[in-house]
Amino acid sequence: MVAMSAGLAPVENLFSFRVPSLLAVVETVEGIGLYVKVPRGNSARSLVERTPNIASAIGVRQLLASQNNQLFLKLVVPARDALEDTVQLADAFAGDTGNAALNQGLNTRPVPSIVFGTTALSDCVSISLDASQHYAFQGQARSGKSVAMYGFLSQLREHTNWQITGIDPTGALPSAADSIPWVLAGGGGIRPSDVSEWLDELESVLNRRLVALRRDQSADKFEFDDPNYPMLLIVLEEFPGVLKSLKVAEAGVKPAERVTDRLKAVYGRLLMEALKVNIRVLTIAQRADAEILGGAERAQIACRVTFKVDNQDAVRMFHDGISGHEWEQLRNAAPGVGVIEQIGQPRTMFRAFSTSFIEYRQIAGAMPEVEDVDADCSS
């Protein structure tokens, strides 16, 4: 610790920036904490971006930063990097992760919430269920997005009374027991007629709930645990691909009759109107391009998760103000490692707990049957 203290304070200029003055060194379960003062002319944010340079200057392999305010910064030389650990969701629930700090965090997590992963400092990452928010996950193939999704949905199915429906061309997520049948890909792919019928039912549910809410002049939204209106989650798996598939299937169809345009319109309406009547949307994409998530849509999605993505613009669009250092971490991230931001919590780098497809299906139960018929271009 003495060597690190001596290495920080005397150096005025290194790697084109001023090295901060060390205020205190504290040894905790996380590792060695270094509390530093932000140099004059610098910002706490710019210092966070330069933590790799500071780590090199003081001779440590890794340095993690958390911003307390604009004057001071906490830098941690971690005792262990929990992002390198693969933790099974079942072990997390059992409190048997092999990481004492993480086990402690799991025991004190907020309820109700989804146990989602761990930070590098072994803090438990959870997704609050009573926070009124839509969700969106993006990540390229083999980024760990699906494994995280299995864990997210399996907990909803096993520990809540949430209803789940959606569109899933892969067929991996639905259950035959779901009260509102999913739209699945048959022998000819996603059929516009199936999407149209599904949208009819969704809009009927939404409209009935909105009418019921307007009749109750004592509330402007349903209670989270309202037994008469249980939470409904609408899952749109590989949503950009679904829209492209429908567009191809509807080639030659009159614009006014295209299901593709109706799906986009209902999607926007759900994002704008559905939260107050206990309906939430989960959008899943390899890359959340602006064509799918414009500014108005993004503004309605508070919980955003990004795993490894090959396009920096897609990350910057999804996470306002993301730094170059964060982008480099994402670009080189191992499967399951990503960033998450949600209501009331700052953006955080984390590693998702692992749930296999087989484990998910054991909880979800039998898969629905899919009619193996030719594509139907009708709406």
Side-chain angles (χ1 to χ4, degrees), residues 358-378:
I358 293 176
E359 290 171 321
Y360 172 68
R361 291 313 321 174
Q362 288 174 341
I363 293 171
M367 301 174 73
E369 295 183 3
V370 180
E371 296 181 24
D372 192 12
V373 297
D374 293 337
D376 177 5
C377 293
S378 65

Side-chain angles (χ1 to χ4, degrees), residues 231-356:
M231 201 65 68
L232 172 63
L233 179 68
I234 300 167
V235 181
L236 299 172
E237 168 72 304
E238 297 301 348
F239 191 42
V242 168
L243 292 174
K244 291 178 182 178
S245 176
L246 286 173
K247 186 176 181 180
V248 171
E250 294 188 305
V253 176
K254 296 179 181 179
E257 300 174 355
R258 291 174 186 164
V259 176
T260 308
D261 294 334
R262 184 186 173 199
L263 176 56
K264 289 181 179 179
V266 173
Y267 175 66
R269 186 185 174 202
L270 287 167
L271 292 179
M272 302 287 183
E273 302 178 35
L275 283 177
K276 58 188 174 184
V277 291
N278 285 353
I279 300 175
R280 299 183 185 177
V281 179
L282 167 58
T283 308
I284 308 169
Q286 291 198 19
R287 195 168 71 190
D289 291 326
E291 180 182 356
I292 306 302
L293 287 178
E297 289 80 12
R298 288 199 310 277
Q300 302 302 318
I301 300 174
C303 182
R304 307 178 188 182
V305 181
T306 295
F307 295 98
K308 185 174 182 177
V309 176
D310 61 1
N311 185 284
Q312 186 173 6
D313 290 337
V315 177
R316 292 188 182 280
M317 181 198 74
F318 211 47
H319 301 282
D320 295 335
I322 197 164
S323 69
H325 175 52
E326 289 174 299
W327 157 245
E328 284 299 317
Q329 287 181 295
L330 264 182
R331 187 170 66 89
N332 299 300
V337 175
V339 294
I340 180 172
E341 58 183 78
Q342 56 184 318
I343 290 177
Q345 297 186 27
R347 185 167 55 244
T348 304
M349 184 73 65
F350 79 108
R351 181 163 189 162
F353 295 140
S354 179
T355 303
S356 71

Side-chain angles (χ1 to χ4, degrees), residues 22-83:
L22 180 64
L23 299 177
V25 177
V26 180
E27 191 166 4
T28 68
V29 68
E30 296 175 337
I32 300 174
L34 310 174
Y35 291 84
V36 300
K37 183 177 181 180
V38 177
R40 183 176 299 177
N42 287 264
S43 66
R45 179 176 179 79
S46 66
L47 207 61
V48 170
E49 292 186 22
R50 294 185 172 106
T51 50
N53 305 94
I54 300 173
S56 177
I58 64 176
V60 298
R61 186 179 65 84
Q62 186 181 32
L63 197 61
L64 304 174
S66 60
Q67 181 178 335
N68 295 329
N69 53 48
Q70 292 301 316
L71 298 178
F72 306 100
L73 202 67
K74 177 184 177 183
L75 305 174
V76 178
V77 183
R80 67 186 292 170
D81 182 358
L83 297 185

